């Protein structure tokens, strides 16, 4: 969780760490990591980011939308995608 915790701390308005985000969304931390990674990668692809991430992860659109909302919305996904690409 270290990498994603570090990224979360850099994004304004996002929860401080994966554990905190997981508690807010109501899913296990491992699923939060999976969701963030899928959303970050899907953001760079054409189409609806949440729908693409749902197809890749098997997580439902509502859960992924809640993750997006908690990390600061669509604008924050660009930051996540950039940061994930750097690591």
């Amino acid at each position: 969780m270290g990498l994603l915790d570090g990224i979360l701390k850099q994004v304004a308005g996002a929860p401080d760490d994966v554990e905190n985000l997981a508690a807010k969304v109501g899913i296990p931390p491992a699923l939060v990591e999976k969701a963030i990674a899928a959303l970050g990668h899907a953001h760079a692809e054409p189409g609806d980011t949440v729908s693409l991430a749902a197809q890749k992860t098997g997580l439902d659109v509502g859960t992924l939308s809640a993750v997006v909302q908690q990390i600061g919305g669509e604008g924050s996904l660009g930051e996540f995608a950039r940061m994930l690409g750097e690591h």
Side-chain angles (χ1 to χ4, degrees):
M1 280 188 258
L3 171 64
L4 290 179
D5 284 340
I7 292 172
L8 283 170
K9 289 178 182 175
Q10 293 179 40
V11 176
D16 292 339
D17 58 30
V18 171
E19 297 274 338
N20 190 6
L21 178 55
K24 288 183 177 200
V25 177
I27 60 174
L31 287 181
V32 167
E33 290 182 340
K34 186 177 180 180
I36 290 173
L39 288 163
H41 292 292
H43 183 72
E45 297 177 16
D48 180 67
T49 301
V50 172
S51 295
L52 290 170
Q55 290 171 7
K56 290 180 180 183
T57 63
L59 294 169
D60 67 83
V61 172
T63 298
L64 289 166
S65 293
V67 170
V68 171
Q69 181 182 12
Q70 288 297 318
I71 63 173
E74 283 283 332
S76 294
L77 287 178
E79 287 183 63
F80 275 95
R82 182 184 56 80
M83 289 178 194
L84 285 170
E86 292 175 358
H87 296 281

